[in-house]
């Protein structure tokens, strides 16, 4: 990839995207599939930021329906259907139950979920229905029985966020776009009329700097969007209000079911999900306004206590800190309207916002993973206008994403590779050692590490264990045990020495410890 950039150093790109999360990758894919010369730069690894730290739901947002944000829910439900259609290897149809503990909640949520079904239209995933106490307990034996009256079933999508990010990057490359991780934009270039005409970027591995020219520049940097806006205009007002959301991962024994739980009203007025994910349970989330942001936000004690205490009210077996296999925090890049000061972040809309600066810099922020495609479409439509690019229509609505397969066996942990799965199996056929598991508590194989380095642009132990396979998120302690074997495979493939291996294992272990509570 870097060679492609170097070879094209004098090239004038049509679209240059800053940021390799859901928003940036979606935008670069939309651009490259319209035939524009497209370059995406990510300062760290793809999805290192918020886009690997979501609840992993492809959803319309039942909570936003309750808030009356109808247009957001309609848009998200439509996009949910398209994403399930275009990436069935990553997006599952997930059954949820809302347990009812008061007489009024059954009819109330049944009506609400029927509206949700209706709004999904032809792209619906299944009909909601009210069920008895017995049926609820049969579906979720781990639910606390005391005062349970019944439940309401509904359906949403469930996915693997960083895997989708990697597949989007692969799709961009297949459409002649160039994507680079570990490449940070450190300044914007402007012409004599003060219009943005490119970026100054730094290769974070070699330290080399590059001036790159482009007809349009798109700021898709999530919670970092204000940093780029400051490069554009040092007096720019802040537009982002970061809001932290925390998740914890528990063993499957806490939810021995394929059905997820949605708790519609927690003590802080939010919803809490308990969702089966890669043979574990993901519990979350919170909504904590923060004034600082980083690529490794840390969960606050009160957020962890809130999740554990709320879960304990609904589950038979009370989870404790000792049961937590991993804890991770993410930051919502909420677009703050001018009058939002003093408002709680849970009240801010999740709709996306497009801002065009006087210099022509385009900033896209807010939104959800679920709506990344529509956000990308709107952004490139805007870039066509601003940069005077040839007017070409968006074609991503019905476009399969890299890995697309019709038949998926979700019981095989390698289902997430979709059409690449057979190629991974071939690696093992050619070299038996690659079929060895990296840890007895997790299903991941040595072949997956090699694959990640050769075909998915993984550069470090963390890239592999956090975002190519999800070991860091699923069982942080087990992932520390795996680090050395992973480092050895990467070093052999990329030609790194023993020092590199030692440094990587040390660095990774320190990071993974921050995902553990005890
Ligand atoms: C707790 C939580 C739960 C969520 N759950 C869901 C869910 O279940 N379903 C759903 O649809 N949505 C969910 N979301 C929302 C969704 O995750 C986000 O909307 C989405 O991931 C944001 O993507 P992004 O690309 O805008 O930001 P990011 O993923 O943060 O990407 C921005 C990227 O820009 C890069 N960058 C920054 N500065 C530079 C620079 N100078 N040069 C180069 N690169 C740079 C960063 O390194 C980063 O990778 C959730 C969000 C949170 C926080």
């Amino acid at each position: 990839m870097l060679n492609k950039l170097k070879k094209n150093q004098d090239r004038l790109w049509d679209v240059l995207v800053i940021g390799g999360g859901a928003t940036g990758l979606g935008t670069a894919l939309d651009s490259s599939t319209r035939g524009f010369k497209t370059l995406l730069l990510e300062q760290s690894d793809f999805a290192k930021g918020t886009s690997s730290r979501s609840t992993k739901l492809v959803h319309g947002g039942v909570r936003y329906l309750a808030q009356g944000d109808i247009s957001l829910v309609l848009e998200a439900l439509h996009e949910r259907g398209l994403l399930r259609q275009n990436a069935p290897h990553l997006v599952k149809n997930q059954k949820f139950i809302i347990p009812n503990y008061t007489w009024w909640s059954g009819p109330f949520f049944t009506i609400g979920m029927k509206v949700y079904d209706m709004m999904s239209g032809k792209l619906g995933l299944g009909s909601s229905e009210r069920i008895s106490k017995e049926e609820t307990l049969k579906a979720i034996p781990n639910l606390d029985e005391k005062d349970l009256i019944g439940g309401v079933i509904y359906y949403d999508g469930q996915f693997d966020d960083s895997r989708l990010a990697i597949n989007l990057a692969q799709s961009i490359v297949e459409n002649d776009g160039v994507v680079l991780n570990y490449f940070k934009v450190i300044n914007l270039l402007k012409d004599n009329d003060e219009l943005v005409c490119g970026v100054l970027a730094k290769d974070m591995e070699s330290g080399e700097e590059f001036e790159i020219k482009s007809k349009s520049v798109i700021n898709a940097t999530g919670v970092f969007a204000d940093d780029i806006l400051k490069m554009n205009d040092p007096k720019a007002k802040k537009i982002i209000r970061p809001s932290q959301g925390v998740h914890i991962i528990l063993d499957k024994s806490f939810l021995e079911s394929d059905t997820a739980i949605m708790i519609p009203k927690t003590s802080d007025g939010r919803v809490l999900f308990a969702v089966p994910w890669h043979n574990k349970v993901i519990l979350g989330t919170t909504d904590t306004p923060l004034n600082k942001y980083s690529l490794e936000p840390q969960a606050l004690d009160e957020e962890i206590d809130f999740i554990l205490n709320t879960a304990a009210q609904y589950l038979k077996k009370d989870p404790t800190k000792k049961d937590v296999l991993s804890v991770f925090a993410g930051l919502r890049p909420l677009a703050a309207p001018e009058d939002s000061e003093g408002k709680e972040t849970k009240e801010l809309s999740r709709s996306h916002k497009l801002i065009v600066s006087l210099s022509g810099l385009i900033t896209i922020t807010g939104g959800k993973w679920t709506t990344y495609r529509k956000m990308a479409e709107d952004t490139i439509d805007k870039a066509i206008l601003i940069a005077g690019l040839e007017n070409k229509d968006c074609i991503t609505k019905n476009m399969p994403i890299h890995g697309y397969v019709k038949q998926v066996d979700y019981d095989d942990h390698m289902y997430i590779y979709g059409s690449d799965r057979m190629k991974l199996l071939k690696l093992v056929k050619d070299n038996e050692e690659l079929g060895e598991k990296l840890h007895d508590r997790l299903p991941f194989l040595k072949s997956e590490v090699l694959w990640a380095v050769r075909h998915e642009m993984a550069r470090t132990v963390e890239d592999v264990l956090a975002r190519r396979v999800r070991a860091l998120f699923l069982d942080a302690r087990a992932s520390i045990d795996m680090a050395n074997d992973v480092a050895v495979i990467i070093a052999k493939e990329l030609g790194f020495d023993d020092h590199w291996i030692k440094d990587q294992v040390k660095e990774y272990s320190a990071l993974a410890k921050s995902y553990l509570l005890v």
Side-chain angles (χ1 to χ4, degrees), residues 19 21-23 42-43 50-51 54-55 57 185 221 332 367 369-370:
T23 311
E42 162 55 50
Q43 64 175 349
T50 306
S51 297
S54 76
T55 312
L57 298 180
V185 169
T221 53
R332 298 174 188 86
W369 239 122
T370 309

Side-chain angles (χ1 to χ4, degrees), residues 26 330 350:
R350 267 52 177 165

Side-chain angles (χ1 to χ4, degrees), residues 18-24 41-45 47-51 53-57 59 183-185 220-224 228 231 243 245-247 285 295 330-333 366-370:
I18 317 172
T23 311
L41 303 177
E42 162 55 50
Q43 64 175 349
S44 174
D45 185 26
K48 163 75 180 178
T50 306
S51 297
R53 299 154 189 275
S54 76
T55 312
K56 286 94 174 88
L57 298 180
H59 61 163
F183 232 87
K184 180 174 179 160
V185 169
T221 53
V223 285
F224 299 86
I228 305 290
M231 290 176 195
S243 152
V246 165
H247 293 92
T285 180
L295 280 175
L331 299 175
R332 298 174 188 86
K368 294 146 62 72
W369 239 122
T370 309

Side-chain angles (χ1 to χ4, degrees), residues 254-320:
F254 286 89
L255 180 68
E256 282 166 309
S257 168
D258 291 335
T259 305
I261 305 173
M262 197 271 247
I263 296 160
K265 201 156 178 66
T266 60
S267 57
D268 80 340
R270 283 188 47 84
V271 298
L272 192 87
F273 291 102
V275 188
W277 187 56
H278 292 323
N279 224 17
K280 306 272 187 253
V281 185
I282 179 166
L283 266 181
T285 180
T286 53
D287 205 329
T288 313
L290 283 189
N291 289 323
K292 54 181 187 180
Y293 50 91
S294 78
L295 280 175
E296 274 301 336
Q298 296 298 309
L300 306 176
D301 285 345
E302 54 263 37
E303 294 181 292
I304 294 160
D305 290 343
F306 166 77
I307 296 174
L308 289 174
N309 293 340
T310 309
Q313 286 171 35
Y314 293 88
L315 297 178
K316 259 190 191 147
K317 191 167 138 192
D318 293 357
T320 66

